[in-house]
């Protein structure tokens, strides 16, 4: 494998450091960790947070994967977001369902067990079981006035989700240089980690790449910045529209 310019430079710097340290009786020296980066590592933590928020807001798309604790419940997310909506899966407990939002239209897709659980758990009522079976594997259009709309729409709204996640609490500080999936990062923290930590890319655009939320409220990886994906409403034959309110709300 041909060494990259960065690798050759690091090797040369290392050799020079060794020679200089040996000749002068020093313990060694190191390469500037911000050399060849986008420069945000040299900024104050406040400015780093401002830069990464601006970059996230300006990006067309992003993928979020990880866990979020909200109102005492833990949700595992794997969603792709853009300005026009989003799509992906959400897991709560042993239940997984898919969300799709196109504009203001929100669709929820799950199996019969999910709908039976939403209706209060399994029972012997044939009509309830039949209703759940009809929803099995179908996209259910969620009315905007339904409680489920407020509960789930935020998971597929790029601005809402990022604004709620990308805020560290307490006094900001820098917690050194790190690496996330092969990309060099600078880490900033709130109250030395108690208020959350955020790894920001030092390569290219300073996108946020990894977030640990305050109070052990989940860890999120942010990837695929700017990578477009198709987003369209499902075929009408795959949609159940209940009108003003879902039957299990």
């Amino acid at each position: 494998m041909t060494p990259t310019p960065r690798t050759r430079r690091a090797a040369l710097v290392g050799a020079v450091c060794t020679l200089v340290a040996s000749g002068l009786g020093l313990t060694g020296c190191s390469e500037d960790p911000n050399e060849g980066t986008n420069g945000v590592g040299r900024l104050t933590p406040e400015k780093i947070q401002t830069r990464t928020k601006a970059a996230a807001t300006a990006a067309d798309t992003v993928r979020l994967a990880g866990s979020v604790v909200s109102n005492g419940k833990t949700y595992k997310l794997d969603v792709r977001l853009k300005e026009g909506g989003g799509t992906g899966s959400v897991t709560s407990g042993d239940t997984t369902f898919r969300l799709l939002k196109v504009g203001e239209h929100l669709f929820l897709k799950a199996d019969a067990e999910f709908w039976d659980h939403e209706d209060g758990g399994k029972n012997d009522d044939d009509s309830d079981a039949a209703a759940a079976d009809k929803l099995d594997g179908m996209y259910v259009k969620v009315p905007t006035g339904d409680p489920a709309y407020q509960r789930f729409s935020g998971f597929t709204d790029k601005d809402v989700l990022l604004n709620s996640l990308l805020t560290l609490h307490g006094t900001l500080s820098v917690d050194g240089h790190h690496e996330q999936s092969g990309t060099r990062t600078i880490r900033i923290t709130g109250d030395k980690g108690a208020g959350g930590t955020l790894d920001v890319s030092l390569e290219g655009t300073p996108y946020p790449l990894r977030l640990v939320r305050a109070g052990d409220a989940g860890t999120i990886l942010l990837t695929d910045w700017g990578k477009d994906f198709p987003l369209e409403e499902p075929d009408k034959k795959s949609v159940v529209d209940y009108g003003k309110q879902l039957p299990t709300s």
Side-chain angles (χ1 to χ4, degrees), residues 184-197:
R184 290 177 291 171
T185 66
I186 187 73
R187 180 173 297 170
I188 57 175
T189 69
D191 281 348
K192 298 182 178 180
T197 69

Side-chain angles (χ1 to χ4, degrees), residues 125-144:
D125 192 317
D126 291 339
S127 62
D128 290 339
D133 287 340
K134 288 182 179 180
L135 301 180
D136 184 24
M138 299 289 288
Y139 280 100
V140 177
K141 188 174 183 180
V142 183
T144 56

Side-chain angles (χ1 to χ4, degrees), residues 49-125:
Q49 179 170 252
T50 299
R51 288 280 185 91
T52 194
K53 278 189 173 183
T57 300
D60 292 329
T61 63
V62 64
R63 179 179 181 180
L64 277 67
S67 61
V68 172
V69 179
S70 178
N71 296 323
K73 291 186 176 182
T74 299
Y75 298 94
K76 294 182 180 179
L77 308 179
D78 188 354
V79 296
R80 302 187 72 178
L81 310 172
K82 60 168 51 176
E83 292 304 322
T87 182
S89 64
V90 179
T91 299
S92 178
D94 296 328
T95 303
T96 298
F97 53 93
R98 294 195 63 80
L99 290 173
L100 170 64
K101 187 180 181 186
V102 183
E104 293 301 314
H105 295 165
L106 176 67
F107 303 89
L108 192 157
K109 182 179 181 180
D111 57 20
E113 184 178 359
F114 169 86
W115 292 109
D116 195 39
H117 175 73
E118 286 289 292
D119 207 25
K122 291 185 177 298
N123 52 62
D124 296 327
D125 192 317

Side-chain angles (χ1 to χ4, degrees), residues 96-249:
T96 298
F97 53 93
R98 294 195 63 80
L99 290 173
L100 170 64
K101 187 180 181 186
V102 183
E104 293 301 314
H105 295 165
L106 176 67
F107 303 89
L108 192 157
K109 182 179 181 180
D111 57 20
E113 184 178 359
F114 169 86
W115 292 109
D116 195 39
H117 175 73
E118 286 289 292
D119 207 25
K122 291 185 177 298
N123 52 62
D124 296 327
D125 192 317
D126 291 339
S127 62
D128 290 339
D133 287 340
K134 288 182 179 180
L135 301 180
D136 184 24
M138 299 289 288
Y139 280 100
V140 177
K141 188 174 183 180
V142 183
T144 56
D146 192 275
Y149 190 94
Q150 301 301 321
R151 182 179 174 190
F152 295 129
S153 63
F155 288 129
T156 50
D157 189 309
K158 175 178 175 286
D159 292 336
V160 170
L161 197 54
L162 290 180
N163 286 338
S164 66
L165 292 177
L166 298 181
T167 299
L168 302 178
H169 303 282
T171 302
L172 298 182
S173 60
V174 174
D175 186 27
H177 292 73
H178 299 266
E179 186 175 284
Q180 178 61 43
S181 301
T183 300
R184 290 177 291 171
T185 66
I186 187 73
R187 180 173 297 170
I188 57 175
T189 69
D191 281 348
K192 298 182 178 180
T197 69
L198 186 65
D199 280 43
V200 178
S201 176
L202 286 172
E203 302 177 16
T205 305
Y207 290 126
L209 300 183
R210 181 176 182 269
L211 169 73
V212 179
R213 301 183 71 207
D216 296 323
T219 299
I220 295 288
L221 300 183
L222 303 97
T223 61
D224 294 349
W225 289 100
K227 293 184 179 181
D228 198 15
F229 61 93
L231 186 67
E232 57 185 22
E233 294 192 12
D235 185 275
K236 291 183 178 181
K237 295 180 180 179
S238 304
V239 177
V240 176
D241 190 341
Y242 271 94
K244 295 183 178 180
Q245 189 174 32
L246 296 181
T248 57
S249 295

Side-chain angles (χ1 to χ4, degrees), residues 22-40:
S22 298
L24 300 179
L26 302 176
T27 57
C29 57
S30 60
E31 184 181 5
D32 179 1
N34 292 305
E35 182 181 352
T37 71
N38 54 25
V40 295

